[in-house]
Amino acid sequence: TSKNLSPIEKLEQSEPFRFFLTTVHGIPNIHNQANAMSFKEILSTQHGQLVRSAQFNYMFDIEFILEQYPSEFRLKPLLIVYGDSRHDNHSMKLQSSPYPQIELCPARLDIPYGTHHTKMMFLLYETGLRIVIHTANLIEQDWKQKTQGIWISPICPKLNDRTEECKTNFKKDLIQYVERYRAKQLQFWLKTITEHDFSNINVHLIGSVPGRHTGPDMNKFGHLKLRQTLKTYSGLENDAQYSLAPIVGQFSSIGSLGATANSWLTKEFLTSLKQLSSSALESPELKLIYPSVENVRTSLEGYMAGGSLPYNIQNAMKQGWLVNFLHQWKADHRQRSRASPHIKTYLRAANDQYKQLLWFLVTSANLSKAAWGVLEKNNTQLMIRSYEIGVLFIPKQFSQSVFSISDSPAFPIPYDLPPVKYQSTDKPWIVDVAYKNQPDSHGNMWDPS
Ligand SMILES: O=C(O)c1cnc2c(S(=O)(=O)O)cccc2c1O
């Protein structure tokens, strides 16, 4: 019988990637061990003595959150960073009023339809600072029977002398991201980040902040940041051989992408995804993974999983062309084909065998212009509506030319590759239409009206 791993053992075994999926209730325990972590395990006392923390997110259940902290840490100062909207301000003030240890920080949303999607934890221990970047809302259902992604940094020690070599520019990028909130409540955390040594970080930060980014700011956020990072750091010898290497996008919602693929998806977004050190003219295959109705119906949560897949009919009906790109959610090798995805990932395989990866990104960003940005004014500005954050794994930072998904140290991919196309009878899950022909795994129907 295999014993359960402790949070510390899970972290040790996850080296060098430190990339986890959330544990799932209802699958064999063995699949909740290696490269799987729960919210409580992230906050475990085993990591050290917590001093204070910050939680950036979109949805919050304060009682649920406090219950995940070990009892001895529950009264430590906790900063909550959420999207500044009338509704959320009211809700957050109500929820947090009984708890003097909780401070609120509303994130400015100056561009309409923007949201604070970023999901990140700052955990300050007596021994140093840990950053967690993930995809789960801070509500119980997001941590129970879904597939979510989590990157957990090492605990970064206090800087002693001034020498520090952050090979991925992570520290500067994180400071640059947090500064954009222009919030006094984040001043303590900006100072704290500055005071800690991030030289053991091996991932790149890919963030989005609302704005019309021009000039030197254009490549700091969104899909142009991804393009710039891939161009600067891919570091592949003779990468021309990879010009047709396939690209995968996987997400839990889809925005309005335009009348044709060429409106934004292939002309602008794919151009960033296909960037390597050298630019290639070829257009590699783009495969998109988004749950079909059948994926949702047969999931552990049943149609209820679809409540977290808010692709609406208004957008879907304008982009019938998208269905040809779509592939099913399938994660048999992780026993998570029925754990509906709320994770968002993008990756490039080295070839159509899908045995090796050129890079891997886990992020809060869905397939939308609001999240990634859209070029405007004759490509002189990148307009982004939402806050997003993710981490990019590039083989060169791990002293490799490619990531193997099978040979040690194997990159722990969340779903099965190659992606499996929708069957002819499959349709993408749409949240605001009824499904009353077939009951779901709980015997229920879905009727949003
Ligand atoms: O994780 C997030 O950041 C996020 C954002 N939005 C959601 C919506 S909706 O606000 O777009 O209607 C509906 C259901 C789930 C959502 C969600 O999980």
Side-chain angles (χ1 to χ4, degrees):
T1 57
S2 55
K3 69 181 180 62
N4 287 354
L5 297 175
S6 73
I8 292 295
E9 287 168 329
K10 289 182 172 185
L11 270 168
E12 285 161 358
Q13 289 191 19
S14 74
E15 287 291 355
F17 303 113
R18 311 176 72 90
F19 171 54
F20 301 85
L21 300 181
T22 44
T23 53
V24 175
H25 294 220
I27 66 172
N29 209 357
I30 182 70
H31 293 279
N32 285 328
Q33 300 308 317
N35 301 311
M37 199 66 96
S38 69
F39 195 178
K40 282 189 176 175
E41 288 175 313
I42 295 171
L43 297 172
S44 165
T45 54
Q46 288 188 22
H47 305 300
Q49 181 60 29
L50 188 74
V51 175
R52 59 197 286 175
S53 61
Q55 294 285 351
F56 295 65
N57 217 297
Y58 173 76
M59 284 186 204
F60 300 83
D61 173 343
I62 296 292
E63 269 70 29
F64 167 74
I65 295 168
L66 291 175
E67 207 238 316
Q68 307 312 304
Y69 280 79
S71 53
E72 55 264 58
F73 297 161
R74 238 162 246 160
L75 294 177
K76 302 290 182 184
L78 166 59
L79 178 67
I80 300 275
V81 184
Y82 65 96
D84 181 5
S85 74
R86 222 157 51 85
H87 169 266
D88 290 340
N89 278 317
H90 179 66
S91 160
M92 296 314 294
K93 282 182 182 131
L94 266 183
Q95 284 200 65
S96 61
S97 55
Y99 306 104
Q101 72 273 33
I102 292 180
E103 183 185 9
L104 297 180
C105 175
R108 302 161 56 113
L109 288 166
D110 297 338
I111 297 183
Y113 304 107
T115 53
H116 187 260
H117 267 182
T118 287
K119 297 170 174 67
M120 173 161 65
M121 307 182 191
F122 292 163
L123 304 173
L124 181 61
Y125 291 97
E126 287 178 350
T127 51
L129 175 63
R130 165 166 281 161
I131 313 291
V132 178
I133 289 174
H134 63 103
T135 65
N137 285 292
L138 299 183
I139 59 177
E140 183 169 18
Q141 73 175 55
D142 266 43
W143 293 85
K144 198 168 179 190
Q145 295 192 306
K146 295 181 185 298
T147 300
Q148 303 270 16
I150 312 168
W151 172 75
I152 304 179
S153 83
I155 293 182
C156 302
K158 226 41 172 85
L159 262 177
N160 36 39
D161 54 21
R162 303 318 294 169
T163 58
E164 173 196 5
E165 176 55 32
C166 188
K167 60 183 180 176
T168 66
N169 211 47
F170 184 92
K171 181 170 178 172
K172 288 194 188 77
D173 287 348
L174 181 61
I175 288 167
Q176 187 170 99
Y177 172 85
V178 176
E179 280 175 343
R180 289 291 169 130
Y181 286 79
R182 302 198 299 280
K184 59 187 177 312
Q185 303 92 318
L186 285 167
Q187 282 312 315
F188 167 83
W189 289 104
L190 278 166
K191 176 171 167 292
T192 301
I193 292 164
T194 308
E195 291 169 348
H196 285 79
D197 179 350
F198 282 66
S199 47
N200 280 341
I201 301 290
N202 52 21
V203 295
H204 295 269
L205 192 73
I206 307 290
S208 289
V209 296
R212 293 175 179 84
H213 306 293
T214 59
D217 287 350
M218 275 188 82
N219 292 333
K220 287 180 180 168
F221 306 108
H223 75 75
L224 290 184
K225 173 65 161 59
L226 177 59
R227 186 182 304 189
Q228 183 68 33
T229 304
L230 290 172
K231 186 178 177 64
T232 308
Y233 292 93
S234 292
L236 286 165
E237 298 307 316
N238 165 36
D239 62 18
Q241 65 179 299
Y242 299 114
S243 60
L244 288 174
I247 292 170
V248 176
Q250 175 274 316
F251 34 78
S252 62
S253 191
I254 307 168
S256 173
L257 305 178
T260 70
N262 215 26
S263 310
W264 177 81
L265 184 68
T266 52
K267 191 166 53 145
E268 186 172 322
F269 188 54
L270 180 59
T271 299
S272 291
L273 290 167
K274 76 180 196 179
Q275 180 70 56
L276 293 172
S277 298
S278 62
S279 303
L281 291 176
E282 292 86 345
S283 246
E285 257 197 305
L286 175 64
K287 299 184 175 219
L288 303 178
I289 298 175
Y290 173 77
S292 64
V293 175
E294 192 62 4
N295 291 155
V296 176
R297 189 182 72 80
T298 58
S299 72
L300 291 165
E301 299 171 275
Y303 286 130
M304 286 285 281
S308 299
L309 299 165
Y311 184 28
N312 63 46
I313 186 68
Q314 181 190 345
N315 287 340
M317 67 195 296
K318 292 186 292 187
Q319 48 206 35
W321 53 266
L322 184 69
V323 178
N324 305 322
F325 287 84
L326 295 183
H327 296 70
Q328 301 176 43
W329 170 257
K330 186 171 169 294
D332 290 347
H333 81 284
R334 299 291 298 266
Q335 280 282 314
R336 283 169 168 80
S337 292
R338 298 185 63 210
S340 185
H342 191 257
I343 187 174
K344 296 91 172 144
T345 60
Y346 302 79
L347 65 83
R348 189 165 195 182
N351 56 48
D352 58 11
Q353 299 306 304
Y354 288 89
K355 296 281 185 235
Q356 299 170 320
L357 305 183
L358 298 184
W359 51 262
F360 184 92
L361 171 67
V362 57
T363 172
S364 61
N366 279 308
L367 187 66
S368 76
K369 298 177 191 173
W372 286 104
V374 56
L375 285 165
E376 296 180 334
K377 295 200 170 161
N378 197 22
N379 296 357
T380 61
Q381 80 178 14
L382 185 69
M383 194 275 281
I384 298 175
R385 297 181 191 273
S386 297
Y387 293 85
E388 309 281 354
I389 206 155
V391 292
L392 176 68
F393 300 84
I394 296 183
K396 190 181 161 198
Q397 299 297 359
F398 299 80
S399 312
Q400 304 183 24
S401 58
V402 293
F403 291 136
S404 165
I405 65 168
S406 48
D407 310 338
S408 181
F411 191 88
I413 52 173
Y415 39 80
D416 299 343
L417 290 174
V420 175
K421 273 198 78 57
Y422 274 14
Q423 295 181 2
S424 57
T425 53
D426 278 320
K427 297 215 179 315
W429 168 265
I430 293 169
V431 68
D432 47 356
V433 302
Y435 302 98
K436 300 194 278 194
N437 304 337
Q438 287 179 289
D440 68 9
S441 52
H442 295 257
N444 299 325
M445 299 297 186
W446 179 263
D447 189 352
S449 54

